[in-house]
Amino acid sequence: KQLKGPGLCAFQLLGEPLLTEHYAKGGFNAVVVDMQHGISSERTAFDCVQRLEKFPNCYPIVRVSDNNPGLIQRALDAGALGIICPMINTVAEAEALVRSCRYPPLGERSWGPSRALAVSDPAEANQAVKVIAMIETR
């Protein structure tokens, strides 16, 4: 999948995979599943992401709750192709975020059997995954 822009993006606060599917059917180019302020468990959020696998023109993005490598990598392993991370305050935090989203040698993303690897290899994933830092403070 490739994120093509400009386009229309849905920001999903409700943890309902059927809603995610309706956004994709409705022509949205991307859906952001919100794990920071949204109402869903990790499992439900990842189910939302996986619903987008059958929609090649809808890009799955997850806004994680914080710069936690474990959560970020689980979201990517579930099939997210973009990560939005809030509260990035320093260059070091931004660099850590990017490292969590990239496989070696470009980062520190862990290799493991996951849905993500069924879709692409590590080099393709390093190119495909979009990383968005939310710089909210000084």
Side-chain angles (χ1 to χ4, degrees):
K1 283 188 180 186
Q2 294 209 359
L3 183 59
K4 299 173 185 172
L8 191 57
C9 176
F11 210 90
Q12 183 171 336
L13 297 171
L14 299 176
E16 176 50 60
L18 186 58
L19 178 60
T20 313
E21 204 168 295
H22 282 295
Y23 284 136
K25 287 178 182 177
F28 284 86
N29 301 84
V31 175
V32 175
V33 177
D34 188 3
M35 292 184 69
Q36 182 185 20
H37 297 296
I39 304 168
S40 66
S41 68
E42 184 175 300
R43 178 70 255 155
T44 303
F46 296 168
D47 285 345
C48 292
V49 167
Q50 290 164 3
R51 286 288 179 108
L52 296 177
E53 288 177 359
K54 63 183 177 180
F55 297 97
N57 295 320
C58 192
Y59 206 78
I61 301 170
V62 171
R63 177 164 76 167
V64 294
S65 57
D66 58 18
N67 199 1
N68 175 320
L71 176 58
I72 291 166
Q73 292 176 33
R74 285 192 304 278
L76 294 170
D77 287 348
L81 292 173
I83 295 292
I84 299 173
C85 185
M87 303 304 294
I88 299 298
N89 299 311
T90 66
V91 171
E93 290 173 353
E95 290 170 342
L97 169 61
V98 173
R99 283 193 309 275
S100 293
C101 295
R102 301 284 184 256
Y103 289 110
L106 302 177
E108 298 171 353
R109 183 174 171 189
S110 176
W111 173 274
S114 69
R115 297 180 80 84
L117 294 176
V119 178
S120 65
D121 68 32
E124 289 174 0
N126 283 345
Q127 292 295 315
V129 171
K130 307 302 179 209
V131 183
I132 302 164
M134 292 179 65
I135 302 167
E136 301 181 78
T137 61
R138 294 178 85 169

